Amino acid sequence: MAPQSYMLIMRTGPNPGKTFELTRNEIYIGRDINNDIVINDSEVSRKHARLIMQAGGFVLEDLGSTNGTFVNGQRLMGPHVLRAGELVLFGENVSLSFEPGYDADATMASSSMQAAPYTTAPAARPAVSSPIPQPVPTAQPVYSGQIPQGPAEPYYEPLEEPKQTNRTMLYAGIGCLVVVLCLTVVAIGFVFDYLNLYCTPPFDALFACG
């Protein structure tokens, strides 16, 4: 009898409904194309999690991902033995259900019974094979009354403007003021020369007029 097989079915994410057969003893999941299961989503780390086959089942382990791995809304803090029907989340956007695969032995036995020729003797009733589990659509995952904790947002202290910039602006302002004053003095002198105001009251008291 062949061992029980399992699969992951994507419920939410970039490819809803996509099925991943779990046929290897060690399966890596992440955004990088070198993983066994590639999920192209910004919430998924380059190497996010790992599945390890043990005693006919699979153990799920988070590999230090940024946004975390959750099972039924609870964030993994260590290896977790998956059970059929459990919902696995990678970050907040991607969810997959862990389901048993198809029983190849039962399917082959059912096919051989249907192909057997009829005889005069009463034929034995063929064994009824267990129905193939159908994916059950689920709603968005429920987090048991709380949203999974994601990574803390980094805090950035506001950068102070360099004192050199303030000092440069001060010097530039003083320079502009000096230029304006010089231009004003030149303009007054030009007006005095042009109108010959040096010997005109009341300016004749300030200048010696010959």
Side-chain angles (χ1 to χ4, degrees):
M1 182 175 178
Q4 175 68 56
S5 61
Y6 292 93
M7 59 185 175
L8 288 174
I9 303 175
M10 185 174 291
R11 300 303 183 188
T12 59
N15 302 108
K18 186 173 182 179
T19 300
F20 302 95
E21 296 287 344
L22 307 181
T23 58
R24 303 182 61 178
N25 293 335
E26 191 172 23
I27 301 171
Y28 286 89
I29 304 170
R31 194 174 72 250
D32 193 277
I33 59 175
N34 294 321
N35 291 286
D36 302 295
I37 297 178
V38 180
I39 302 176
N40 188 14
D41 187 271
S42 60
E43 291 284 321
V44 179
S45 297
R46 294 176 63 85
K47 184 169 286 188
H48 197 106
R50 176 175 60 181
L51 286 168
I52 301 176
M53 182 184 292
Q54 290 185 2
F58 280 91
V59 175
L60 177 63
E61 180 182 4
D62 184 83
L63 298 179
S65 64
T66 301
N67 296 305
T69 301
F70 303 82
V71 175
N72 295 335
Q74 300 296 322
R75 186 164 189 167
L76 292 186
M77 297 301 176
H80 173 79
V81 179
L82 287 175
R83 298 176 180 84
E86 288 188 320
L87 193 66
V88 180
L89 290 90
F90 301 118
E92 296 182 358
N93 299 333
V94 180
S95 63
L96 302 96
S97 61
F98 180 71
E99 303 290 347
Y102 304 112
D103 191 342
D105 290 344
T107 303
M108 294 176 60
S110 177
S111 300
S112 63
M113 289 181 180
Q114 292 178 3
Y118 289 99
T119 61
T120 55
R125 180 177 297 178
V128 179
S129 60
S130 58
I132 298 174
Q134 297 296 327
V136 179
T138 59
Q140 289 288 340
V142 180
Y143 298 108
S144 303
Q146 61 180 0
I147 299 176
Q149 295 180 355
E153 295 184 357
Y155 172 75
Y156 299 99
E157 294 185 356
L159 297 177
E160 295 183 357
E161 295 185 358
K163 294 183 179 180
Q164 184 66 29
T165 302
N166 295 335
R167 190 172 299 173
T168 302
M169 293 179 62
L170 178 62
Y171 292 159
I174 294 174
C176 291
L177 182 59
V178 172
V179 170
V180 171
L181 291 176
C182 291
L183 291 176
T184 302
V185 172
V186 171
I188 293 174
F190 176 78
V191 172
F192 268 72
D193 287 337
Y194 184 76
L195 299 178
N196 194 20
L197 298 177
Y198 296 104
C199 296
T200 301
F203 302 109
D204 56 349
L206 299 177
F207 302 98
C209 296

